[in-house]
Amino acid sequence: MKKRLAGVLDFLLGRNQKKSRAEIGLRVLFEKELSDHLNSKRFLILLILICGTGFASLYGALSSLWESEEAVEFLFLSLYTTSGNSIPSFASFIGLLGPFVGLVLGFDAVNGERNNGTLNRLVAQPIYRDSVIIGKFLAGTAVISLLVCSMGIIIGAAGVLSTGLLPETEEVLRILVFLFYTIVYIAFWLGLAILFSVLCRHTATSAMAVIALWLFFAIFMK
């Protein structure tokens, strides 16, 4: 009986050690991938792209709202959904460029490591193989959350400064829900890009495949 209890205890301790090892490896990989994203020129380019399109959509929305003679019920929501004369709204920009952000962050996540010769060294560490993919996905999702939330807060702050009004509680909740689903939407394309980077050996092939899929849905599936 004691031997059985000792065996069960050793089994449970072994499982706990494996679990803790997996959690530590996943955390280390997540921190490494997040640092690589934030220190890369790719992140800077994406930041400039998101900020440029966000400010352009904000300018178009403000111009359209000032020229309109009708009363607006939810003013701050209109900053995210109203289009200018020739400038799409922030929601339209997200619908078009959001997948592009996910694709750029994930198209070479795995095959890039393989081509650079760092994947073997990464897998040789005491870390599970699925933790490599999960860590890369979580790091990319964190970068997407940072970009989307920053731009959403900037647009809201600009709306407060330009109108002098504070948003209502319902407007704040709707904006938060909109930003959450925006993150989920872009993270879906990030996961799809990582999937193609696993299936395709070369980064150019995975990039072309996932861009073709994005253009198909953007053009023919509206």
Side-chain angles (χ1 to χ4, degrees):
M1 186 68 179
K2 292 182 179 180
K3 291 182 179 180
R4 290 182 179 179
L5 291 176
V8 172
L9 183 60
D10 292 339
F11 175 73
L12 293 176
L13 289 176
R15 291 188 61 182
N16 291 332
Q17 290 177 357
K18 290 182 179 179
K19 184 177 180 180
S20 62
R21 183 188 304 174
E23 292 176 352
I24 293 174
L26 180 61
R27 185 178 70 250
V28 171
L29 183 62
F30 168 78
E31 293 174 355
K32 179 256 183 188
E33 291 294 327
L34 183 60
S35 176
D36 291 343
H37 281 309
L38 296 179
N39 293 324
S40 65
K41 295 181 179 179
R42 184 184 304 182
F43 174 76
L44 181 61
I45 294 173
L46 290 177
L47 181 63
I48 295 174
L49 176 64
I50 293 296
C51 290
T53 54
F55 285 124
S57 64
L58 177 62
Y59 174 78
L62 289 175
S63 301
S64 179
L65 291 175
W66 290 127
E67 294 175 359
S68 178
E69 297 180 356
E70 299 179 357
V72 180
E73 184 177 0
F74 295 108
L75 179 61
F76 284 88
L77 289 178
S78 301
L79 296 177
Y80 297 86
T81 58
T82 302
S83 303
N85 295 328
S86 59
I87 304 176
S89 63
F90 179 73
S92 300
F93 272 127
I94 288 296
L96 180 62
L97 297 179
F100 177 75
V101 175
L103 303 185
V104 169
L105 291 175
F107 77 94
D108 61 343
V110 177
N111 51 21
E113 298 273 4
R114 184 188 297 117
N115 295 333
N116 294 331
T118 57
L119 184 61
N120 292 332
R121 291 198 297 266
L122 184 62
V123 178
Q125 303 298 320
I127 183 175
Y128 295 107
R129 293 186 177 182
D130 54 348
S131 298
V132 176
I133 300 176
I134 295 173
K136 289 179 177 293
F137 176 77
L138 292 178
T141 304
V143 173
I144 292 170
S145 303
L146 178 63
L147 292 173
V148 172
C149 293
S150 299
M151 200 62 240
I153 293 173
I154 289 174
I155 291 179
V160 173
L161 294 176
S162 59
T163 61
L165 301 176
L166 294 177
E168 300 178 359
T169 304
E170 183 178 357
E171 289 180 306
V172 174
L173 294 177
R174 290 191 178 189
I175 291 172
L176 292 178
V177 171
F178 168 72
L179 295 179
F180 171 75
Y181 280 106
T182 299
I183 294 171
V184 173
Y185 172 64
I186 302 177
F188 165 77
W189 287 96
L190 170 65
L192 192 63
I194 294 177
L195 174 63
F196 275 96
S197 73
V198 174
L199 298 178
C200 302
R201 190 173 186 84
H202 301 287
T203 56
T205 305
S206 61
M208 291 299 296
V210 74
I211 288 175
L213 187 63
W214 167 46
L215 292 177
F216 173 78
F217 281 103
I219 297 175
F220 300 103
M221 300 298 291
K222 283 187 177 181

PDB file of all heavy atoms in Angstrom, residues 99-100 103-104 107 189 193 196 204-218:
ATOM      1  N   PRO A  99      -6.031  42.559 -41.061  1.00  0.00           N
ATOM      2  CA  PRO A  99      -5.393  41.292 -41.437  1.00  0.00           C
ATOM      3  C   PRO A  99      -3.945  41.459 -41.869  1.00  0.00           C
ATOM      4  O   PRO A  99      -3.108  40.595 -41.598  1.00  0.00           O
ATOM      5  CB  PRO A  99      -6.265  40.799 -42.602  1.00  0.00           C
ATOM      6  CG  PRO A  99      -7.586  41.430 -42.375  1.00  0.00           C
ATOM      7  CD  PRO A  99      -7.301  42.771 -41.790  1.00  0.00           C
ATOM      8  N   PHE A 100      -3.629  42.567 -42.531  1.00  0.00           N
ATOM      9  CA  PHE A 100      -2.252  42.800 -42.963  1.00  0.00           C
ATOM     10  C   PHE A 100      -1.301  42.856 -41.769  1.00  0.00           C
ATOM     11  O   PHE A 100      -0.169  42.344 -41.838  1.00  0.00           O
ATOM     12  CB  PHE A 100      -2.189  44.101 -43.763  1.00  0.00           C
ATOM     13  CG  PHE A 100      -0.803  44.482 -44.208  1.00  0.00           C
ATOM     14  CD1 PHE A 100      -0.193  43.819 -45.254  1.00  0.00           C
ATOM     15  CD2 PHE A 100      -0.117  45.500 -43.567  1.00  0.00           C
ATOM     16  CE1 PHE A 100       1.085  44.159 -45.654  1.00  0.00           C
ATOM     17  CE2 PHE A 100       1.156  45.851 -43.961  1.00  0.00           C
ATOM     18  CZ  PHE A 100       1.769  45.181 -45.014  1.00  0.00           C
ATOM     19  N   LEU A 103      -0.731  39.320 -40.612  1.00  0.00           N
ATOM     20  CA  LEU A 103       0.088  38.571 -41.560  1.00  0.00           C
ATOM     21  C   LEU A 103       1.559  38.954 -41.455  1.00  0.00           C
ATOM     22  O   LEU A 103       2.444  38.103 -41.520  1.00  0.00           O
ATOM     23  CB  LEU A 103      -0.412  38.811 -42.994  1.00  0.00           C
ATOM     24  CG  LEU A 103      -1.886  38.481 -43.278  1.00  0.00           C
ATOM     25  CD1 LEU A 103      -2.190  38.652 -44.744  1.00  0.00           C
ATOM     26  CD2 LEU A 103      -2.202  37.080 -42.831  1.00  0.00           C
ATOM     27  N   VAL A 104       1.826  40.244 -41.297  1.00  0.00           N
ATOM     28  CA  VAL A 104       3.209  40.704 -41.208  1.00  0.00           C
ATOM     29  C   VAL A 104       3.886  40.157 -39.956  1.00  0.00           C
ATOM     30  O   VAL A 104       5.075  39.808 -39.972  1.00  0.00           O
ATOM     31  CB  VAL A 104       3.253  42.245 -41.230  1.00  0.00           C
ATOM     32  CG1 VAL A 104       4.641  42.758 -40.880  1.00  0.00           C
ATOM     33  CG2 VAL A 104       2.856  42.759 -42.606  1.00  0.00           C
ATOM     34  N   PHE A 107       3.939  35.676 -40.669  1.00  0.00           N
ATOM     35  CA  PHE A 107       4.171  34.869 -41.866  1.00  0.00           C
ATOM     36  C   PHE A 107       5.512  34.130 -41.830  1.00  0.00           C
ATOM     37  O   PHE A 107       5.687  33.119 -42.510  1.00  0.00           O
ATOM     38  CB  PHE A 107       4.087  35.747 -43.128  1.00  0.00           C
ATOM     39  CG  PHE A 107       5.297  36.593 -43.378  1.00  0.00           C
ATOM     40  CD1 PHE A 107       6.317  36.152 -44.216  1.00  0.00           C
ATOM     41  CD2 PHE A 107       5.420  37.842 -42.787  1.00  0.00           C
ATOM     42  CE1 PHE A 107       7.432  36.939 -44.457  1.00  0.00           C
ATOM     43  CE2 PHE A 107       6.519  38.632 -43.025  1.00  0.00           C
ATOM     44  CZ  PHE A 107       7.532  38.180 -43.855  1.00  0.00           C
ATOM     45  N   TRP A 189      -5.997  36.322 -37.996  1.00  0.00           N
ATOM     46  CA  TRP A 189      -5.102  36.343 -39.150  1.00  0.00           C
ATOM     47  C   TRP A 189      -3.664  36.075 -38.738  1.00  0.00           C
ATOM     48  O   TRP A 189      -2.881  35.506 -39.515  1.00  0.00           O
ATOM     49  CB  TRP A 189      -5.224  37.674 -39.876  1.00  0.00           C
ATOM     50  CG  TRP A 189      -6.514  37.799 -40.624  1.00  0.00           C
ATOM     51  CD1 TRP A 189      -7.652  38.412 -40.198  1.00  0.00           C
ATOM     52  CD2 TRP A 189      -6.811  37.270 -41.911  1.00  0.00           C
ATOM     53  NE1 TRP A 189      -8.636  38.304 -41.148  1.00  0.00           N
ATOM     54  CE2 TRP A 189      -8.154  37.609 -42.209  1.00  0.00           C
ATOM     55  CE3 TRP A 189      -6.071  36.546 -42.842  1.00  0.00           C
ATOM     56  CZ2 TRP A 189      -8.758  37.244 -43.408  1.00  0.00           C
ATOM     57  CZ3 TRP A 189      -6.683  36.180 -44.037  1.00  0.00           C
ATOM     58  CH2 TRP A 189      -8.001  36.534 -44.313  1.00  0.00           C
ATOM     59  N   ALA A 193      -1.485  33.104 -40.304  1.00  0.00           N
ATOM     60  CA  ALA A 193      -0.149  33.319 -40.850  1.00  0.00           C
ATOM     61  C   ALA A 193       0.867  32.370 -40.210  1.00  0.00           C
ATOM     62  O   ALA A 193       1.750  31.838 -40.908  1.00  0.00           O
ATOM     63  CB  ALA A 193       0.279  34.770 -40.629  1.00  0.00           C
ATOM     64  N   PHE A 196       0.495  28.945 -41.820  1.00  0.00           N
ATOM     65  CA  PHE A 196       1.167  28.850 -43.114  1.00  0.00           C
ATOM     66  C   PHE A 196       2.682  28.813 -42.955  1.00  0.00           C
ATOM     67  O   PHE A 196       3.377  28.183 -43.752  1.00  0.00           O
ATOM     68  CB  PHE A 196       0.756  30.018 -44.005  1.00  0.00           C
ATOM     69  CG  PHE A 196      -0.521  29.794 -44.749  1.00  0.00           C
ATOM     70  CD1 PHE A 196      -1.720  30.287 -44.247  1.00  0.00           C
ATOM     71  CD2 PHE A 196      -0.548  29.088 -45.936  1.00  0.00           C
ATOM     72  CE1 PHE A 196      -2.914  30.080 -44.925  1.00  0.00           C
ATOM     73  CE2 PHE A 196      -1.733  28.869 -46.622  1.00  0.00           C
ATOM     74  CZ  PHE A 196      -2.920  29.368 -46.115  1.00  0.00           C
ATOM     75  N   ALA A 204       8.852  33.205 -48.297  1.00  0.00           N
ATOM     76  CA  ALA A 204       8.182  33.830 -49.443  1.00  0.00           C
ATOM     77  C   ALA A 204       6.921  33.059 -49.821  1.00  0.00           C
ATOM     78  O   ALA A 204       5.888  33.652 -50.154  1.00  0.00           O
ATOM     79  CB  ALA A 204       9.133  33.907 -50.632  1.00  0.00           C
ATOM     80  N   THR A 205       6.994  31.734 -49.751  1.00  0.00           N
ATOM     81  CA  THR A 205       5.819  30.914 -50.086  1.00  0.00           C
ATOM     82  C   THR A 205       4.694  31.139 -49.092  1.00  0.00           C
ATOM     83  O   THR A 205       3.524  31.304 -49.476  1.00  0.00           O
ATOM     84  CB  THR A 205       6.214  29.432 -50.106  1.00  0.00           C
ATOM     85  OG1 THR A 205       7.306  29.244 -51.006  1.00  0.00           O
ATOM     86  CG2 THR A 205       5.044  28.574 -50.562  1.00  0.00           C
ATOM     87  N   SER A 206       5.010  31.135 -47.808  1.00  0.00           N
ATOM     88  CA  SER A 206       3.981  31.353 -46.792  1.00  0.00           C
ATOM     89  C   SER A 206       3.395  32.756 -46.899  1.00  0.00           C
ATOM     90  O   SER A 206       2.184  32.949 -46.731  1.00  0.00           O
ATOM     91  CB  SER A 206       4.564  31.129 -45.406  1.00  0.00           C
ATOM     92  OG  SER A 206       5.628  32.030 -45.150  1.00  0.00           O
ATOM     93  N   ALA A 207       4.243  33.750 -47.207  1.00  0.00           N
ATOM     94  CA  ALA A 207       3.749  35.119 -47.345  1.00  0.00           C
ATOM     95  C   ALA A 207       2.797  35.231 -48.535  1.00  0.00           C
ATOM     96  O   ALA A 207       1.712  35.828 -48.429  1.00  0.00           O
ATOM     97  CB  ALA A 207       4.915  36.087 -47.501  1.00  0.00           C
ATOM     98  N   MET A 208       3.173  34.668 -49.669  1.00  0.00           N
ATOM     99  CA  MET A 208       2.320  34.743 -50.856  1.00  0.00           C
ATOM    100  C   MET A 208       1.007  33.989 -50.641  1.00  0.00           C
ATOM    101  O   MET A 208      -0.057  34.445 -51.066  1.00  0.00           O
ATOM    102  CB  MET A 208       3.068  34.173 -52.059  1.00  0.00           C
ATOM    103  CG  MET A 208       4.235  35.020 -52.530  1.00  0.00           C
ATOM    104  SD  MET A 208       3.722  36.677 -53.061  1.00  0.00           S
ATOM    105  CE  MET A 208       2.696  36.265 -54.472  1.00  0.00           C
ATOM    106  N   ALA A 209       1.063  32.850 -49.975  1.00  0.00           N
ATOM    107  CA  ALA A 209      -0.151  32.057 -49.758  1.00  0.00           C
ATOM    108  C   ALA A 209      -1.133  32.788 -48.866  1.00  0.00           C
ATOM    109  O   ALA A 209      -2.338  32.870 -49.165  1.00  0.00           O
ATOM    110  CB  ALA A 209       0.222  30.700 -49.158  1.00  0.00           C
ATOM    111  N   VAL A 210      -0.648  33.348 -47.768  1.00  0.00           N
ATOM    112  CA  VAL A 210      -1.553  33.995 -46.829  1.00  0.00           C
ATOM    113  C   VAL A 210      -2.035  35.344 -47.376  1.00  0.00           C
ATOM    114  O   VAL A 210      -3.182  35.753 -47.128  1.00  0.00           O
ATOM    115  CB  VAL A 210      -0.873  34.142 -45.457  1.00  0.00           C
ATOM    116  CG1 VAL A 210       0.175  35.223 -45.467  1.00  0.00           C
ATOM    117  CG2 VAL A 210      -1.888  34.363 -44.364  1.00  0.00           C
ATOM    118  N   ILE A 211      -1.205  36.051 -48.150  1.00  0.00           N
ATOM    119  CA  ILE A 211      -1.641  37.306 -48.775  1.00  0.00           C
ATOM    120  C   ILE A 211      -2.708  37.029 -49.823  1.00  0.00           C
ATOM    121  O   ILE A 211      -3.682  37.775 -49.963  1.00  0.00           O
ATOM    122  CB  ILE A 211      -0.439  38.046 -49.377  1.00  0.00           C
ATOM    123  CG1 ILE A 211       0.427  38.641 -48.267  1.00  0.00           C
ATOM    124  CG2 ILE A 211      -0.897  39.160 -50.314  1.00  0.00           C
ATOM    125  CD1 ILE A 211       1.697  39.281 -48.763  1.00  0.00           C
ATOM    126  N   ALA A 212      -2.539  35.935 -50.591  1.00  0.00           N
ATOM    127  CA  ALA A 212      -3.548  35.563 -51.582  1.00  0.00           C
ATOM    128  C   ALA A 212      -4.885  35.256 -50.913  1.00  0.00           C
ATOM    129  O   ALA A 212      -5.950  35.656 -51.398  1.00  0.00           O
ATOM    130  CB  ALA A 212      -3.059  34.361 -52.384  1.00  0.00           C
ATOM    131  N   LEU A 213      -4.830  34.567 -49.771  1.00  0.00           N
ATOM    132  CA  LEU A 213      -6.069  34.274 -49.042  1.00  0.00           C
ATOM    133  C   LEU A 213      -6.707  35.550 -48.514  1.00  0.00           C
ATOM    134  O   LEU A 213      -7.935  35.712 -48.552  1.00  0.00           O
ATOM    135  CB  LEU A 213      -5.759  33.316 -47.899  1.00  0.00           C
ATOM    136  CG  LEU A 213      -6.952  32.767 -47.118  1.00  0.00           C
ATOM    137  CD1 LEU A 213      -7.846  31.944 -48.034  1.00  0.00           C
ATOM    138  CD2 LEU A 213      -6.473  31.910 -45.942  1.00  0.00           C
ATOM    139  N   TRP A 214      -5.889  36.472 -48.020  1.00  0.00           N
ATOM    140  CA  TRP A 214      -6.395  37.751 -47.526  1.00  0.00           C
ATOM    141  C   TRP A 214      -7.059  38.547 -48.643  1.00  0.00           C
ATOM    142  O   TRP A 214      -8.158  39.089 -48.474  1.00  0.00           O
ATOM    143  CB  TRP A 214      -5.248  38.546 -46.910  1.00  0.00           C
ATOM    144  CG  TRP A 214      -5.544  39.986 -46.638  1.00  0.00           C
ATOM    145  CD1 TRP A 214      -6.655  40.510 -46.041  1.00  0.00           C
ATOM    146  CD2 TRP A 214      -4.731  41.114 -46.995  1.00  0.00           C
ATOM    147  NE1 TRP A 214      -6.576  41.880 -45.986  1.00  0.00           N
ATOM    148  CE2 TRP A 214      -5.396  42.276 -46.565  1.00  0.00           C
ATOM    149  CE3 TRP A 214      -3.488  41.234 -47.614  1.00  0.00           C
ATOM    150  CZ2 TRP A 214      -4.872  43.546 -46.756  1.00  0.00           C
ATOM    151  CZ3 TRP A 214      -2.958  42.503 -47.793  1.00  0.00           C
ATOM    152  CH2 TRP A 214      -3.653  43.642 -47.365  1.00  0.00           C
ATOM    153  N   LEU A 215      -6.419  38.624 -49.813  1.00  0.00           N
ATOM    154  CA  LEU A 215      -6.993  39.363 -50.936  1.00  0.00           C
ATOM    155  C   LEU A 215      -8.282  38.707 -51.424  1.00  0.00           C
ATOM    156  O   LEU A 215      -9.222  39.405 -51.827  1.00  0.00           O
ATOM    157  CB  LEU A 215      -5.979  39.450 -52.076  1.00  0.00           C
ATOM    158  CG  LEU A 215      -4.741  40.318 -51.814  1.00  0.00           C
ATOM    159  CD1 LEU A 215      -3.785  40.247 -52.988  1.00  0.00           C
ATOM    160  CD2 LEU A 215      -5.147  41.762 -51.548  1.00  0.00           C
ATOM    161  N   PHE A 216      -8.334  37.382 -51.372  1.00  0.00           N
ATOM    162  CA  PHE A 216      -9.553  36.687 -51.788  1.00  0.00           C
ATOM    163  C   PHE A 216     -10.727  37.077 -50.906  1.00  0.00           C
ATOM    164  O   PHE A 216     -11.812  37.412 -51.399  1.00  0.00           O
ATOM    165  CB  PHE A 216      -9.329  35.177 -51.752  1.00  0.00           C
ATOM    166  CG  PHE A 216     -10.573  34.374 -51.999  1.00  0.00           C
ATOM    167  CD1 PHE A 216     -11.068  34.215 -53.280  1.00  0.00           C
ATOM    168  CD2 PHE A 216     -11.250  33.775 -50.941  1.00  0.00           C
ATOM    169  CE1 PHE A 216     -12.217  33.470 -53.507  1.00  0.00           C
ATOM    170  CE2 PHE A 216     -12.395  33.040 -51.155  1.00  0.00           C
ATOM    171  CZ  PHE A 216     -12.886  32.887 -52.442  1.00  0.00           C
ATOM    172  N   PHE A 217     -10.535  37.059 -49.599  1.00  0.00           N
ATOM    173  CA  PHE A 217     -11.620  37.422 -48.690  1.00  0.00           C
ATOM    174  C   PHE A 217     -11.918  38.911 -48.738  1.00  0.00           C
ATOM    175  O   PHE A 217     -13.064  39.333 -48.594  1.00  0.00           O
ATOM    176  CB  PHE A 217     -11.255  37.012 -47.262  1.00  0.00           C
ATOM    177  CG  PHE A 217     -11.462  35.555 -46.981  1.00  0.00           C
ATOM    178  CD1 PHE A 217     -10.374  34.700 -46.932  1.00  0.00           C
ATOM    179  CD2 PHE A 217     -12.727  35.041 -46.781  1.00  0.00           C
ATOM    180  CE1 PHE A 217     -10.563  33.338 -46.681  1.00  0.00           C
ATOM    181  CE2 PHE A 217     -12.917  33.695 -46.522  1.00  0.00           C
ATOM    182  CZ  PHE A 217     -11.824  32.846 -46.470  1.00  0.00           C
ATOM    183  N   ALA A 218     -10.888  39.752 -48.959  1.00  0.00           N
ATOM    184  CA  ALA A 218     -11.093  41.201 -48.966  1.00  0.00           C
ATOM    185  C   ALA A 218     -11.816  41.674 -50.223  1.00  0.00           C
ATOM    186  O   ALA A 218     -12.570  42.649 -50.186  1.00  0.00           O
ATOM    187  CB  ALA A 218      -9.758  41.921 -48.840  1.00  0.00           C
TER     188      ALA A 218
END
